[in-house]
Amino acid sequence: MPRALTNSRVRDAVLVLGGALFTALAAQVVVHLGFTPVPLTGQTFAVLSVGSALGARRAMASQFVYWLLGAVGLPFYANASGGWEKATGATAGYFVGFVVAAGIVGWFADNRQDRNFMMSMSAMTLSMVVVYFFGAAWLAHSLNVPVATGSTNAISLGVTPFLVGDIIKMVLAGLVGPIGWAMYYLKPR
């Protein structure tokens, strides 16, 4: 195998693992709301930032590796938890959403659509809708509650309580790409 190809694969593996570890670290920033099995964490900030930094392919791989390493029992999920039960439990839909969302933000980055804040925010918004879609759908299935109707539903348990915090995380993650590119272009060549 040519040396350049080997170096590229090693770099990709390090970046994918780094993205997974960053998400695991952000998952340890936890606020329990009490009325929902879904904790407020820093994961979505990490997912969106990793997508912006790594591009679609590596970002999706990093979020899959994050889910997989937690599933085998490493303490990667909120409150340093892990294991198959957690990986496939009430919040499993969010893990699926993380993979897809990282890919969406990464696609925008791959196509140079993350160079300014407004374009970056459109990627972040679309990605959060995807996370909420998968998260709420699985939460409804897991808890045997309706998605949107009734007094107790997946939207009221898994989306509404997180909107303000996720908007803040989206804005912060939306700055990652534009600030990173601005710093890159300022660097002397």
Side-chain angles (χ1 to χ4, degrees):
M1 189 177 305
R3 184 177 180 91
L5 183 58
T6 302
N7 289 343
S8 175
R9 288 186 178 168
V10 168
R11 184 186 73 237
D12 286 348
V14 167
L15 290 171
V16 165
L17 185 58
L21 293 173
F22 179 60
T23 307
L25 181 64
Q28 304 318 308
V29 177
V30 180
V31 175
H32 291 283
L33 302 177
F35 62 91
T36 175
V38 182
L40 177 64
T41 70
Q43 288 167 301
T44 49
F45 170 75
V47 168
L48 300 173
S49 298
V50 165
S52 184
L54 299 185
R57 186 176 50 87
R58 289 185 297 224
M60 289 178 76
S62 76
Q63 295 312 301
F64 179 75
V65 167
Y66 164 70
W67 173 81
L68 185 64
L69 292 174
V72 299
L74 293 177
F76 275 27
Y77 303 152
N79 296 316
S81 64
W84 187 250
E85 188 175 306
K86 288 280 188 183
T88 59
T91 59
Y94 295 96
F95 294 132
V96 173
F98 291 167
V99 174
V100 178
I104 291 169
V105 174
W107 182 87
F108 274 79
D110 289 342
N111 289 284
R112 305 178 140 242
Q113 300 298 310
D114 65 339
R115 302 305 197 256
N116 70 62
F117 180 72
M118 291 312 293
M119 285 303 295
S120 188
M121 285 309 298
S122 62
M124 303 297 165
T125 302
L126 177 59
S127 294
M128 284 309 305
V129 168
V130 166
V131 169
Y132 288 145
F133 172 79
F134 283 105
W138 185 259
L139 190 62
H141 167 76
S142 179
L143 299 179
N144 197 24
V145 298
V147 173
T149 59
S151 60
T152 301
N153 60 62
I155 300 294
S156 68
L157 293 173
V159 176
T160 308
F162 305 98
L163 289 174
V164 172
D166 283 341
I167 289 170
I168 293 167
K169 290 183 271 185
M170 282 172 37
V171 168
L172 293 173
L175 293 169
V176 169
I179 289 173
W181 283 110
M183 290 170 53
Y184 174 79
Y185 287 123
L186 287 175
K187 188 171 66 174
R189 308 259 180 261

